[in-house]
């Protein structure tokens, strides 16, 4: 209450508002003068806000817009197929409101595994405007006109002015169009009523909410397989929406900022100790002193958030054209998640303020005499229990286990428990950090003098080292969770996932040109010829093989025939069933991949490159004969737990022959085979031009071309997660080690003045960096295992805890031991410079 007593003149004894304004102006001047000393914190906040602005914008706009498929309509109903009962529903909707119908008939693009749609849609309909835009030319206005997307134009070599046989009618191409909400949408646009046999019809409509219930009754009575959808219902079906993920990542990032900034503001407060002592000596209260430090933190947060927004928005403007191509839909210039951006800027300011509040309170406890002398009181030893940290970890373990049992992470429920469990891991690690730091002092008792000093300082100056350790452990925790989750997902051999083929491989499949389209082939003179195809004619096996050889020759590759056996593998593991095609291990196939007969077990029935498939339980091989195919009347026989040999030389792609039946099994069980697939192997990666040429040739040969997709492999995801964890840890260490060592700069000067060598100085920094890195990695790995064991122990769809048996220990060991070693080595190399002033304490 003394601060608010009035002097005889009616003015508060603490100076009131004018005094606080003066203190804040002084804090602003200190920031301008000492911005270099605060550069690390300022840069950290700026980068975090910029990354949030750019990252959240990309994350929110990466999936199609919420109204994709709805246009400006409030509701939609899709009918597949469209018949008289569906027409009854549409009549009811037309009675209650306005309706726009979009009719689609699907066709195959000859020579590929892709399709396109013949679409009848009014160019200027009441609701479909956002789903249709003109790139060039004009929209079709009569029955003999058509507009196509760029993908269809490229596939059929079309341009404005040409004639194209589509839907059984020659039509003039009058325009190039696109669906702004999905640039991958391949279609040929005609006027309404020109799709004779629609395979799918979508009704877009708006009706009063009171009439929606009666429409739903009519729909359920006539077409119960269809439902009324709305943008809100589609968004609500995914609780882990991009906004939620962005906010969760934002909160986590700001937590890391606050943890690192605490040490930075503490060191800044120590550097200003004499100035603060002088301010106290002329009558400043504890409230004024706290205001100096916290106001500085607020200024840093405001400046960093503004700079971060400017840099992030500029980065978005530069990246937007490329992003539209990768996201496959048009995105507006100002299509930022403004709520997330605003929260990011506010949280940056709040994080900086609270990070500065802790040292602000600590500074007020330093006596004025100590502050003026520049030698603050030694740090107090704080003994904290590890029980709260263990309680948080146990709660997180239980919540994650409940989430796994209810389908969390698979989109079937448990998402709130999953998020809450991950959130509780953070305070658990933060509360455990001081205990681990206290262990360093006990470990250091028998260490050499330089190492003992470094480890003792970590335990003494926990304001800096504790926050740094927490930040490192959380960064490693994220990386470890991604590594373990990816390993559990990609380790299930029954649900094989990853790239379909290698970049130097192309798969050829038997396909039939659709009726009523124009196909393209090369004549005997090598010229491109367009031929109207009216009916499906089945090519003979010899013709198909000849076409495959022609494609392989054009690509300069080696052709391998993939014979399909009249057999299949069946089994279930971890809640997932066997998936994937199997082929016959012909001598030609084995030679193509450098596998000799001597490498194969004579009794082996199946060869595979899928890790872990050999010896797996619950697998059976069912087979038929030429007269009794598998799946038609039941198999002719079956083998439980067939002998499987793992052969790493076989390709690993999901569409490649990664699992094959040996000729021994084919002969023993009299299994028949058929030829409908081929594999083209090149000496180097196939280019887009080569793939396009192969598709042209395949279009006339009743073949389809499958090339490599862009699905990442499990090892790619794990390697990037490992790199992320190491970079986060090293970045935090780079900022934190300097803060910890600057706190002990007086002791370093004393050591140098008494003749300590550069070896001692190097050892101090190297041990500090290595110890912080190892402890942070250890906490992060422990937290990651707690999270994944808790989630997987009751999650059958991901294989349970057994899925962790395939964890890439090399990546974990790189984080646990490699990262601290790198940090120690860098600290050793950069710590040789002798302090500039040895004999006195510098005046700030």
């Amino acid at each position: 209450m003394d601060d608010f007593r009035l002097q005889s003149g009616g003015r508060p004894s603490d100076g009131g508002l004018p005094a606080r304004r003066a203190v804040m102006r002084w804090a602003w001047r200190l920031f301008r003068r000492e911005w270099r000393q605060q550069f690390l914190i300022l840069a950290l906040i700026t980068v975090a806000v910029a990354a949030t602005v750019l990252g959240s914008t990309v994350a929110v706009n990466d999936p199609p817009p919420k109204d994709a498929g709805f246009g400006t309509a409030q509701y939609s109903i899709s009918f597949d197929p469209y018949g008289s009962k569906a027409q009854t529903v549409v009549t009811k909707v037309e009675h209650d409101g306005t309706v726009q119908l979009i009719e689609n008939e699907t066709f195959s693009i000859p020579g590929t595994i892709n399709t396109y749609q013949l679409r009848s849609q009014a160019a200027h309909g009441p609701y479909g405007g956002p789903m249709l835009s003109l790139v060039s030319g004009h929209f079709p206005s009569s029955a003999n006109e058509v507009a196509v997307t760029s993908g269809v134009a490229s596939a059929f070599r079309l341009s404005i002015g040409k004639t194209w046989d589509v839907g059984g009618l020659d039509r003039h191409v009058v325009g190039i169009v696109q669906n702004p909400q999905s640039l991958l949408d391949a279609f040929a646009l005609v006027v309404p009523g020109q799709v004779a046999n629609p395979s799918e019809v979508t009704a877009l409509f708006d009706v009063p909410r009171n009439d929606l219930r009666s429409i739903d009754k009519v729909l359920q009575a006539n077409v119960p397989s269809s439902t009324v959808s709305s943008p809100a219902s589609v968004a609500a079906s995914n609780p882990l929406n991009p906004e939620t993920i962005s906010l969760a990542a934002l909160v986590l990032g700001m937590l890391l900022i606050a943890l690192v900034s605490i040490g930075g503001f503490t060191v800044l407060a120590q550097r200003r100790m004499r100035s603060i002592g002088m301010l106290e000596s002329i009558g400043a209260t504890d409230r004024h002193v706290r205001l100096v430090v916290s106001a500085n933190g607020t200024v840093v947060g405001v400046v960093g958030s503004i700079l971060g927004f400017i840099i992030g928005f500029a980065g978005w403007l530069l990246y937007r054209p490329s992003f539209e191509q990768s996201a496959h839909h048009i995105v507006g210039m100002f299509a930022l998640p403004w709520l997330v951006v605003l929260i990011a800027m506010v949280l940056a300011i709040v994080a900086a303020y609270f990070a500065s509040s802790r040292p602000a309170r600590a500074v007020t406890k330093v006596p004025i005499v100590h502050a003026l002398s520049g030698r603050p009181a030694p740090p107090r030893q704080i003994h904290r229990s590890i029980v709260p940290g263990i309680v948080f970890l146990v709660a997180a373990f239980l919540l994650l286990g409940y989430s796994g049992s209810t389908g969390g992470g698979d989109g079937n429920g448990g998402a709130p428990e999953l998020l809450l469990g991950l959130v509780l891991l953070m305070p658990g690690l933060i509360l455990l950090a001081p205990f681990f730091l206290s262990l360093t002092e006990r470990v250091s008792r028998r260490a050499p003098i330089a190492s003992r000093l470094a480890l003792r300082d970590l335990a003494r100056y926990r304001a800096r080292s504790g926050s740094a350790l927490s930040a490192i452990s959380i960064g490693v925790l994220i990386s470890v969770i991604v590594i373990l989750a990816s390993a559990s997902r990609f380790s299930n051999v029954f649900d094989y996932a990853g790239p379909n083929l290698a970049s130097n491989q192309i798969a050829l499949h038997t396909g039939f040109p659709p009726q009523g389209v124009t196909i393209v082939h090369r004549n005997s003179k090598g010229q491109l010829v367009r031929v109207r195809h009216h009916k499906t004619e089945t090519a003979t096996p010899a013709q198909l093989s000849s076409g495959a050889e022609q494609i392989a020759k054009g690509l300069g590759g080696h052709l391998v025939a993939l014979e399909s056996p009249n057999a299949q593998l069946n089994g279930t593991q971890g809640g997932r069933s066997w998936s994937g095609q199997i082929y016959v291990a012909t001598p030609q196939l084995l030679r193509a991949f450098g596998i000799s007969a001597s490498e194969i077990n004579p009794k082996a029935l199946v060869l595979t490159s899928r890790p872990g498939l050999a010896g797996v339980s619950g697998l059976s091989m069912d087979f038929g004969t030429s007269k009794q195919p598998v799946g038609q009347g039941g198999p002719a026989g079956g083998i439980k737990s067939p002998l499987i040999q793992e052969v790493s030389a076989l390709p690993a792609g999901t569409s490649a022959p990664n699992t094959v039946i040996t000729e021994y099994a084919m002969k023993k069980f009299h299994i028949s085979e058929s030829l409908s697939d081929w594999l083209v192997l090149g000496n180097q990666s196939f280019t887009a031009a080569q793939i396009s040429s192969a598709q042209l040739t395949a279009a006339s040969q009743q073949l389809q071309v499958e090339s490599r997709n862009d699905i990442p492999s499990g090892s790619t995801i794990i390697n990037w997660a490992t790199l992320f964890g190491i970079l986060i840890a090293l970045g935090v260490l780079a900022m934190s080690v300097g803060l910890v060592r600057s706190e002990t700069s007086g002791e370093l000067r004393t050591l140098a003045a008494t003749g300590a060598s550069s070896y001692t100085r190097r050892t101090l920094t190297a041990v500090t960096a290595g110890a912080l890195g190892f402890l942070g990695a250890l906490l992060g790995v422990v937290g990651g295992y707690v999270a994944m064991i808790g989630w997987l122990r009751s999650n059958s769809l991901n294989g349970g805890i057994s899925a962790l048996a395939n964890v890439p220990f090399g990546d974990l060991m790189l984080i646990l031991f490699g990262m601290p070693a790198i940090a120690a080595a860098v600290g050793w190399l950069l710590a040789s410079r002798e302090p500039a002033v040895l004999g006195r304490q510098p005046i700030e």
Side-chain angles (χ1 to χ4, degrees), residues 576-660:
R576 300 183 187 273
S577 301
W578 167 269
S579 64
Q581 176 67 38
I582 59 174
Y583 296 101
V584 179
T586 61
Q588 181 198 20
L589 187 148
L590 297 178
R591 273 196 313 271
F593 295 101
I595 304 172
S596 63
S598 60
E599 300 178 50
I600 301 175
N601 185 339
K603 300 298 183 181
L605 303 182
V606 178
L607 308 179
T608 184
S609 62
R610 298 189 183 189
L613 184 62
V616 70
S617 60
L619 186 66
S620 66
M621 184 178 74
D622 299 328
F623 51 86
T625 63
S626 58
K627 297 182 179 180
Q628 190 178 26
V630 173
Q632 299 181 15
I639 298 295
K640 298 294 184 180
S641 302
L643 179 60
I644 300 175
Q645 180 182 353
E646 186 172 328
V647 181
S648 59
L650 287 173
T654 57
S655 295
N658 58 72
T659 303
V660 294

Side-chain angles (χ1 to χ4, degrees), residues 564-570 582 621-639 661 665-674:
S564 300
N566 186 21
Q568 62 187 16
L569 293 177
N570 294 304
I582 59 174
M621 184 178 74
D622 299 328
F623 51 86
T625 63
S626 58
K627 297 182 179 180
Q628 190 178 26
V630 173
Q632 299 181 15
I639 298 295
I661 294 181
M666 299 289 292
K667 295 177 180 179
K668 180 178 180 179
F669 301 109
H670 307 288
I671 303 173
S672 61
E673 72 280 343
S674 61

Side-chain angles (χ1 to χ4, degrees), residues 652-701:
T654 57
S655 295
N658 58 72
T659 303
V660 294
I661 294 181
T662 63
E663 289 198 315
Y664 165 75
M666 299 289 292
K667 295 177 180 179
K668 180 178 180 179
F669 301 109
H670 307 288
I671 303 173
S672 61
E673 72 280 343
S674 61
L675 179 61
S676 60
D677 302 281
W678 294 263
L679 187 69
V680 181
L681 301 177
N683 296 325
Q684 57 187 5
S685 299
F686 293 120
T687 64
Q690 288 178 308
I691 296 174
S692 178
S693 176
Q695 291 172 348
L696 282 176
T697 306
S700 63
Q701 303 292 339

